[in-house]
Amino acid sequence: VELVTREDYYDNFLTRMLANVPAHVEVTEEHFKEARMILENKFLIGMTNDVAETVQKRLKLYFGWEELPSQQGCEMYYIKNGVMALPPVTIEEGGHYWRAIQKINLFDMKLYARAMSVFGQQKMRMPVHPLAVQKEREVVNEAFARLRNVDEPLDESDVPFFCIQSR
């Protein structure tokens, strides 16, 4: 709260940054709409309250990252330790301080709410890095290569174990 009440504090910093609004200009609804459009169309959203989803499912797929075999478990270790290192939230959502900050940063609060919504939507339309697609195709092709050609005659291995009769 002390930060937002300082004289040199700029309100709605994220909205200002995305919409290119100078510090001496008041942020408007039009600036917010521009910032929202940029956020929705130009960003891959990640959330600190869901770091595992952000890193393991989104960033890895988008950038085609793979954990090295010699480093198995390292990624999860840093995700857990990174989350534990975050300072605890001391402002209660909807409380007195929350409302005071919201009043000063109305457009940033609206932008944050929109970012949470986009975070959920991006799960359904997440672009996948070509290397990740290639790796998945290789796994599928390898599995198909092990399948028997259906035009070949059946042999004993094709009959379920419970149907095999003794000769």
Side-chain angles (χ1 to χ4, degrees):
V1 177
E2 294 82 27
L3 175 68
V4 298
T5 56
R6 288 180 26 188
E7 210 170 292
D8 61 344
Y9 179 76
Y10 295 115
D11 65 342
N12 298 297
F13 179 77
L14 186 57
T15 306
R16 287 180 182 282
M17 185 178 68
L18 292 176
N20 199 24
V21 180
H24 64 277
V25 175
E26 186 176 339
V27 178
T28 66
E29 188 70 29
E30 289 304 311
H31 294 130
F32 166 73
K33 288 177 182 176
E34 183 178 352
R36 186 185 71 195
M37 189 262 321
I38 292 168
L39 180 82
E40 291 172 353
N41 294 298
K42 302 289 184 184
F43 280 81
L44 175 62
I45 305 291
M47 293 286 172
T48 56
N49 62 349
D50 200 349
V51 176
E53 165 76 20
T54 297
V55 173
Q56 293 183 313
K57 295 186 180 162
R58 308 228 177 163
L59 296 177
K60 281 178 81 170
L61 282 175
Y62 187 81
F63 292 111
W65 294 342
E66 289 186 34
E67 192 169 27
L68 298 172
S70 63
Q71 301 293 317
Q72 291 297 319
C74 183
E75 179 181 279
M76 199 54 163
Y77 170 81
Y78 282 105
I79 288 172
K80 286 180 181 176
N81 285 336
V83 170
M84 299 308 285
L86 291 173
V89 177
T90 58
I91 298 175
E92 181 183 339
E93 187 170 343
H96 174 72
Y97 291 123
W98 178 274
R99 290 191 313 273
I101 293 170
Q102 184 177 29
K103 187 176 180 182
I104 295 168
N105 292 295
L106 176 64
F107 294 111
D108 274 6
M109 297 296 267
K110 288 170 57 174
L111 206 56
Y112 176 71
R114 187 66 194 135
M116 289 192 311
S117 175
V118 171
F119 180 73
Q121 292 170 1
Q122 282 181 345
K123 184 181 281 191
M124 300 307 187
R125 57 183 173 97
M126 181 72 198
V128 179
H129 192 277
L131 291 176
V133 172
Q134 179 183 355
K135 184 176 180 182
E136 290 298 317
R137 282 192 181 134
E138 289 170 3
V139 169
V140 169
N141 289 338
E142 185 179 315
F144 276 123
R146 289 195 299 263
L147 293 176
R148 181 184 64 76
N149 185 342
V150 293
D151 294 332
E152 295 173 359
L154 293 176
D155 64 15
E156 281 190 16
S157 67
D158 295 321
V159 181
F161 72 92
F162 52 84
C163 292
I164 296 179
Q165 298 177 355
S166 45
R167 296 185 185 172

